[in-house]
């Protein structure tokens, strides 16, 4: 059957049939946060070869487990044996209003290619008439309206965070390790580039070895986009807590 996990702020549902996250409920407001029927799936690995459109990478087999580490956190872990994105974890923290997502990529699963391959994950949030703003050094911009006139580039390098919002609701989103983002052709989905596979004769080619760890996080708020809140959320995710030993001991 389907797999659920929850804490006081969010409830996550994993659908075994579609092998994707089919619901993330904001328990503060009762609102569904994701578009469960979107072609990209939520945070599902996607592949774009050359100039083709993105398509979902369908997993042959997924192993789903829940780690209950109360009173600290609950983890929904998805394992994909022998695939590029070998594990994904959805983490709900006690008393922290956010959803963390951790990916582990096995770069040795990338095969030799003659055409550039872009791997990404998409975040189709369920917000009507949504707008997207991305954080750059010095503030936020609308990637469609604020780009150079005549530019057709859909890729952007963000500082720490982005916001997906309308007048009534806002999602603050942040990443630590994967800061190249794209906006879907219809302007509704934030896509995060997780790795590129270059042909051997390209000057950007490098050997694919080892593991790559990626971290994302998002939180939901009522009301319109608040740039200070979103910037603070991104800063907190990207600034690890420091531990200083005390002179005092017990």
């Amino acid at each position: 059957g389907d797999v659920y996990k929850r804490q006081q702020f969010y409830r996550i549902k994993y659908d075994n049939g579609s092998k994707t996250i089919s619901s993330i409920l904001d328990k503060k407001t009762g609102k569904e946060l994701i578009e469960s029927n979107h072609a990209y799936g939520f945070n599902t690995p996607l592949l774009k070869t050359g100039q083709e459109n993105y398509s979902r990478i369908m997993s042959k087999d997924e192993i789903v487990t829940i780690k209950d580490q109360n009173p600290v956190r609950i983890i929904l872990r998805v394992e994909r044996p022998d695939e590029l994105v070998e594990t994904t974890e959805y983490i709900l923290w006690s008393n922290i209003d956010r959803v963390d997502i951790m990916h582990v990529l096995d770069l040795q699963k990338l095969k030799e290619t003659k055409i550039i391959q872009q791997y990404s994950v998409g975040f189709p949030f369920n917000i009507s008439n949504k707008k997207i703003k991305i954080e750059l050094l010095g503030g936020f911009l609308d990637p469609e309206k604020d780009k150079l006139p005549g530019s057709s580039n859909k890729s952007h390098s963000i500082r720490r965070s982005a916001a997906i919002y309308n007048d009534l609701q806002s999602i603050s989103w942040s990443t630590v390790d994967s800061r190249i983002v794209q906006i879907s052709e219809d302007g509704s989905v934030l896509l995060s580039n997780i790795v590129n596979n270059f042909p051997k004769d390209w000057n950007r080619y490098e050997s694919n070895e080892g593991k790559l760890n990626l971290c994302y996080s998002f939180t939901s708020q009522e009301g319109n986009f608040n740039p200070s809140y979103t910037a603070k959320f991104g800063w907190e995710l990207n600034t690890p807590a420091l531990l200083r030993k005390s002179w005092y001991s017990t």
Side-chain angles (χ1 to χ4, degrees):
D2 298 334
V3 180
Y4 294 83
K5 72 166 186 171
R6 69 189 75 198
Q7 40 81 289
Q8 66 265 48
F9 297 113
Y10 301 99
R11 186 197 69 181
I12 298 178
K13 176 184 176 184
Y14 174 88
D15 183 77
N16 278 309
S18 62
K19 291 183 169 54
T20 188
I21 297 297
S22 59
S23 172
I24 299 180
L25 183 72
D26 184 344
K27 295 175 67 178
K28 306 184 300 293
T29 63
K31 293 180 179 178
E32 175 58 52
L33 296 183
I34 69 173
E35 296 182 35
S36 60
N37 296 321
H38 197 281
Y40 290 158
F42 182 83
N43 187 49
T44 301
L46 306 169
L47 172 61
K48 179 178 181 179
T49 301
Q51 299 301 313
E52 296 177 0
N53 294 325
Y54 276 109
S55 60
R56 285 179 58 181
I57 301 174
M58 302 304 294
S59 299
K60 298 177 182 177
D61 186 28
E62 291 191 350
I63 302 168
V64 181
T65 56
I66 292 180
K67 295 182 180 180
D68 189 343
Q69 298 178 337
N70 274 318
V72 178
R73 62 183 184 174
I74 304 173
I75 301 172
L76 189 152
R77 179 180 175 88
V78 181
E79 298 179 63
R80 306 177 185 88
D82 301 318
E83 296 194 22
L84 172 63
V85 184
E86 64 176 19
T87 62
T88 300
E89 291 185 339
Y90 298 87
I91 304 170
L92 297 179
W93 299 91
S94 295
N95 301 317
I96 299 179
D97 183 1
R98 78 186 200 198
V99 178
D100 285 359
I101 301 172
M102 308 291 293
H103 289 298
V104 177
L105 279 60
D106 183 355
L107 298 181
Q108 296 182 77
K109 296 298 188 296
L110 292 170
K111 305 300 182 183
E112 187 173 325
T113 181
K114 294 183 178 181
I115 303 175
I116 183 173
Q117 295 176 322
Q118 300 179 62
Y119 292 86
S120 296
V121 289
F123 296 88
F125 288 108
N126 183 36
I127 297 180
S128 61
N129 301 314
K130 71 187 71 169
K131 302 175 185 177
I132 298 177
K133 287 197 175 181
I134 59 175
E135 183 188 14
L136 300 179
L137 187 64
F140 287 83
L141 61 78
D142 182 321
E144 291 300 311
K145 293 182 179 179
D146 298 331
K147 65 184 179 182
L148 292 174
S151 172
S152 60
N153 187 17
K154 296 277 185 180
S155 298
H156 308 273
S157 177
I158 68 170
R159 189 180 188 191
R160 301 187 187 98
S161 61
I164 304 91
Y165 68 99
N166 61 18
D167 291 340
L168 302 176
Q169 182 182 8
S170 180
I171 301 286
S172 292
W173 176 97
S174 183
T175 177
V176 176
D177 320 276
S178 185
R179 298 188 182 184
I180 300 299
V181 301
Q182 296 176 318
I183 310 300
S184 62
E185 290 296 328
D186 63 2
S188 68
V189 180
L190 184 71
L191 297 155
S192 176
N193 178 235
I194 56 176
V195 70
N196 292 326
N197 190 19
F198 293 101
K200 272 192 171 182
D201 57 356
W202 279 47
N203 62 355
R204 298 188 66 181
Y205 173 80
E206 57 185 36
S207 59
N208 297 311
E209 299 176 350
K211 303 291 179 74
L212 184 62
N213 297 286
L214 304 177
C215 174
Y216 300 94
S217 188
F218 67 88
T219 185
S220 172
Q221 316 94 49
E222 289 191 283
N224 207 331
F225 166 55
N226 182 330
S228 297
Y229 185 96
T230 300
K232 178 175 178 286
F233 179 77
W235 186 90
E236 289 176 345
L237 181 69
N238 282 266
T239 307
L242 299 177
L243 174 64
R244 176 177 293 179
K245 292 184 178 180
S246 171
W247 288 352
Y248 302 99
S249 61
T250 57

